[in-house]
């Protein structure tokens, strides 16, 4: 509001100044030497209203700087008007444009100012302002004075406009950088949500597929069919709940307005922690995982949330891969660590004699690697010459400061 008010005040003063100077220029041009009479020529009479129109157009100099500057140049270049309006318009032109428009406008305003000063220096001494600092004894001295004066008069609005252009460009770059940072944040959030969808739904739907297959085979021959059916039903319900949560995040918050949930807003779904690891392994065992598990965690409940969630998801993906690609294979699962020592996850399983076909996008280990990279950890995963597939991950676990 203050800047708008200041701009209005400056515009009013600029218009009034141009009107007064144009009127004084008209009177000086039309005055008869040694007399108080005014005898304007047709060109003088035409120059005055054109100069007044240019003064009024200064109101729109920031909206249409090129047009206003061009209109302000008509009177001093083609008629006998002054160049004050053109000088003021040049500041706006330089503030909004760079390149050829800026330099062409500056050159034309310089020429127009030179013409106006030259005409003023040729008037009767009592009516000439330029006579106060110009030497008109010779044509050379007069021309030199006119050029220097025009340079100084043109340099002032040019400098003001160039400084303002630099400020505007800095603000524009700041806005673009903020928009770019917002876009990167949205992409990161999109990647995070996609990774969560893969990790959560991929694991539970894999368990669902395995349990459904076991139910289909054993329904008629084993009393465990009821338990398998219960597991299928429970896993399906959990998968649907997770899917609703993810869809709710995408629908309610979106990627453009994603941010911390405010009072009364949609809350972030609770993330798993290290205390949920035993239940994760128990679920995998119910699905047919033959695992020997070792869990040695110090102060598991105090683990930072990003570390705990990442460890859970990494282990979840490793167990899902075993169930998909090596069902029934003997598996060694080790989770150990604590504050200051870091957190290590190791899942080693025997490779099946024949590859087991399994649908999937193949992005599970990519997501695991992204999680580990974000936390500054390390990952090795792949088959070994001993006939085992091993996934080993390490995550830094900073000890709390005393």
């Amino acid at each position: 509001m203050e800047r708008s008010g200041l701009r209005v005040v400056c515009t009013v003063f600029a218009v009034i100044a141009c009107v007064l100077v144009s009127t004084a220029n008209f009177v000086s041009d039309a005055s008869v030497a040694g007399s108080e009479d005014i005898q304007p020529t047709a060109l003088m009479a035409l120059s005055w209203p054109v100069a007044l129109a240019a003064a009024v157009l200064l109101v729109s100099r920031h909206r249409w700087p090129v047009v206003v500057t061009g209109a302000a140049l008509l009177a001093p270049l083609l008629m006998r008007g002054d160049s004050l309006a053109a000088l003021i318009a040049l500041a706006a032109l330089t503030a909004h444009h760079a390149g050829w428009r800026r330099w062409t406008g500056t050159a034309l305003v310089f020429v127009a100012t030179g013409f106006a000063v030259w005409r003023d220096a040729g008037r009767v001494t009592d009516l000439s302002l330029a006579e106060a600092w110009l030497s008109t004894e010779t044509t050379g001295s007069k021309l030199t004075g006119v050029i220097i004066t025009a340079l100084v008069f043109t340099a002032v609005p040019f400098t003001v406009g160039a400084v303002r252009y630099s400020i505007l460009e800095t603000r524009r770059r700041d806005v673009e950088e903020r928009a770019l940072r917002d876009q990167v944040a949205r992409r990161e959030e999109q990647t995070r949500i996609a990774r969560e969808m893969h990790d959560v739904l991929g694991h539970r739907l894999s368990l669902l597929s395995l349990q459904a297959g076991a139910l289909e085979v054993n329904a008629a021959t084993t009393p465990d069919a009821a338990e398998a059916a219960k597991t299928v039903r429970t896993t399906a319900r959990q998968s649907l709940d997770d899917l609703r949560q993810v869809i709710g995040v995408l629908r309610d918050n979106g990627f453009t307005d994603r941010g911390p949930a405010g009072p009364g807003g949609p809350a972030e779904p609770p993330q798993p922690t290290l205390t949920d690891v035993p239940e994760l392994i128990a679920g995998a065992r119910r699905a047919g995982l033959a695992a020997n598990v070792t869990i040695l965690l110090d102060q598991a409940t105090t683990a930072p949330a990003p570390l705990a969630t990442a460890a859970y998801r990494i282990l979840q993906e490793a167990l899902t891969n075993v169930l998909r690609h090596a069902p029934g294979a003997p598996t060694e699962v080790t989770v150990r660590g604590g504050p200051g020592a870091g957190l290590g996850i190791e899942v080693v399983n025997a490779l099946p004699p024949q590859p087991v076909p399994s649908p999937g996008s193949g992005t599970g280990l990519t997501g695991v690697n992204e999680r580990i990279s974000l936390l500054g950890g390390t990952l090795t995963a792949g088959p070994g010459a001993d006939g085992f597939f091993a996934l080993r991950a390490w995550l830094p676990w900073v000890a709390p400061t005393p």
Side-chain angles (χ1 to χ4, degrees):
M1 183 65 70
E2 292 180 358
R3 293 181 59 188
S4 298
L6 180 61
R7 176 175 290 188
V8 170
V9 171
C10 291
T11 299
V12 171
F13 276 113
V15 172
I16 293 175
C18 288
V19 169
L20 294 177
V21 171
S22 297
T23 303
N25 181 75
F26 169 73
V27 173
S28 298
D29 269 350
S31 295
V32 178
S35 172
E36 295 182 357
D37 296 337
I38 296 178
Q39 298 179 357
T41 63
L43 186 60
M44 294 177 188
L46 181 61
S47 299
W48 186 39
V50 171
L52 294 180
V56 174
L57 284 176
L58 290 177
V59 173
S60 302
R61 68 190 184 279
H62 290 291
R63 183 177 300 178
W64 302 302
V66 175
V67 175
V68 174
T69 303
L73 286 170
L74 293 177
L77 282 180
L78 304 180
M79 304 174 189
R80 295 187 60 84
D82 66 281
S83 64
L84 179 59
L87 290 169
I88 296 174
L90 176 63
L93 175 66
T94 308
H96 293 281
H97 293 285
W100 68 270
R101 288 187 180 87
R102 171 185 289 183
W103 295 110
T104 301
T106 302
L108 291 175
V109 172
F110 167 74
V111 173
T113 303
F115 283 170
V117 174
W118 180 273
R119 287 192 295 267
D120 185 73
R123 295 191 183 112
V124 179
T125 303
D126 293 341
L127 300 176
S128 174
L129 294 176
E131 286 283 347
W133 66 84
L134 287 181
S135 173
T136 58
E137 295 179 356
T138 63
T139 302
S141 62
K142 179 180 177 181
L143 180 61
T144 302
V146 168
I147 292 175
I148 294 175
T149 301
L151 280 174
V152 173
F153 283 1
T154 306
V156 172
F158 178 88
T159 303
V160 171
V163 171
R164 189 166 187 270
Y165 178 86
S166 177
I167 294 174
L168 292 176
E169 280 295 294
T170 301
R171 292 175 180 170
R172 182 185 61 80
R173 284 194 297 269
D174 290 342
V175 171
E176 291 179 351
E177 289 176 1
R178 285 196 297 270
L180 182 59
R181 287 195 295 268
D182 291 342
Q183 182 180 4
V184 170
R186 289 194 297 270
R187 291 289 179 87
E188 290 177 351
E189 183 66 5
Q190 183 178 0
T191 301
R192 185 190 72 84
I193 294 176
R195 188 165 55 235
E196 290 294 322
M197 289 180 64
H198 175 275
D199 292 346
V200 175
L201 299 182
H203 175 74
R204 288 191 173 150
L205 292 177
S206 294
L207 298 183
L208 179 63
S209 176
L210 291 170
Q211 292 292 338
L215 180 61
E216 181 181 2
V217 173
N218 300 324
T221 61
T222 177
D224 294 334
E227 181 64 25
K230 179 180 177 182
T231 303
V232 170
R233 186 176 65 254
T234 302
T235 305
R237 186 180 65 251
Q238 290 175 339
S239 298
L240 289 175
D241 290 342
D242 289 332
L243 182 59
R244 290 192 189 98
Q245 286 182 342
V246 174
I247 292 176
V249 170
L250 297 177
R251 184 184 63 247
D252 297 335
N253 291 356
F255 296 129
T256 57
D257 300 324
R258 180 75 173 157
E268 184 76 11
Q271 296 297 317
T273 65
L274 293 179
T275 58
D276 298 315
V277 168
E279 178 58 30
L280 172 66
I281 295 175
R285 280 174 166 166
R286 289 193 297 268
L289 180 70
N292 181 29
V293 181
T294 302
I295 300 178
L296 298 172
L297 293 174
D298 183 22
Q299 303 180 30
T301 57
T302 64
L307 170 67
T309 301
Y312 183 95
R313 297 304 187 200
I314 293 168
L315 182 59
Q316 185 180 58
E317 179 61 29
L319 298 180
T320 300
N321 285 338
V322 175
L323 291 170
R324 280 180 177 174
H325 304 291
T331 305
E332 292 287 336
V333 179
T334 304
V335 182
R336 65 177 68 194
L343 179 62
I345 300 172
E346 182 176 291
V347 179
V348 181
N349 63 274
L351 292 171
Q354 297 295 331
V356 178
S358 175
S361 61
T363 60
L365 288 180
T366 301
V368 168
N369 191 44
E370 289 176 356
R371 289 183 182 275
I372 293 174
S373 298
L374 289 174
L375 295 177
T378 59
L379 170 69
T380 59
D386 54 358
F388 286 86
F389 186 95
L391 181 146
R392 296 181 177 90
W394 180 86
L395 298 172
W397 187 345
V398 179
T401 56

